[in-house]
Amino acid sequence: MTKKILTLAALTLLVSACSLYHVDSADLTTNYYPSKKSASDVVYMETVTRPYDTIGYVTVSTERRNTIEDVLGKMKREAAILGADAITDIKSDASGEWKKLPAQKLIGNAYIRVNFTATAIIFKDTSAQ
């Protein structure tokens, strides 16, 4: 009996420490942009001051307790696969059935999962002009 309780406690601890992520992207362009070698080749910019084209969107769905800092690396990795130079305009939104519950004013921010969405961009080459 004690062995079963210890096994259950250990399993509960292992599962509760996990964080589940779902990473997705949408490519908006028919142009080919080669993938970057690593996520560190993609930067996050709150305000973009250079001319750019939007090439797609990157979405990371995770638990509400995770912050933007927790998902930024995953967003950059997915943007690197798209060939983006940077990500910008990060937004967060509740996902799933939680938004459809009738008592939204009562439950407020009681949703469990959140979607972080960023715009993947590539800088325009201004030297050719």
Side-chain angles (χ1 to χ4, degrees), residues 29 31-34 36 48 50-56 82-87 119-125:
T29 182
N31 296 337
Y32 172 73
Y33 299 102
K36 304 294 184 203
V48 183
R50 296 171 53 185
Y52 68 90
D53 287 324
T54 300
I55 63 169
L82 290 175
D85 292 325
I87 56 174
T119 304
I121 63 173
I122 190 144
F123 297 118
K124 291 182 179 180
D125 184 18

Side-chain angles (χ1 to χ4, degrees), residues 57-109:
Y57 295 101
V58 176
T59 303
V60 176
S61 178
T62 186
E63 287 88 15
R64 176 181 163 201
R65 64 183 167 87
N66 291 330
T67 62
I68 188 64
E69 291 80 18
D70 296 331
V71 300
L72 201 53
K74 290 171 181 24
M75 291 180 129
K76 285 182 176 183
R77 189 184 82 226
E78 190 70 16
I81 293 169
L82 290 175
D85 292 325
I87 56 174
T88 188
D89 194 28
I90 296 178
K91 295 182 169 97
S92 64
D93 190 14
S95 64
E97 297 298 317
W98 292 99
K99 291 182 81 170
K100 298 176 187 171
L101 293 175
Q104 282 296 312
K105 288 186 180 185
L106 177 64
I107 61 172
N109 288 331

Side-chain angles (χ1 to χ4, degrees), residues 1 14 29 38 99 114 117 122-123:
M1 182 69 170
L14 286 172
T29 182
S38 77
K99 291 182 81 170
V114 65
T117 303
I122 190 144
F123 297 118

Side-chain angles (χ1 to χ4, degrees), residues 7-21:
T7 303
L8 180 62
L11 182 62
T12 303
L13 245 153
L14 286 172
V15 173
S16 66
C18 294
S19 184
L20 301 175
Y21 293 94

Side-chain angles (χ1 to χ4, degrees), residues 26-41:
D27 194 0
L28 299 179
T29 182
T30 57
N31 296 337
Y32 172 73
Y33 299 102
S35 297
K36 304 294 184 203
K37 294 189 187 286
S38 77
S40 61
D41 293 337

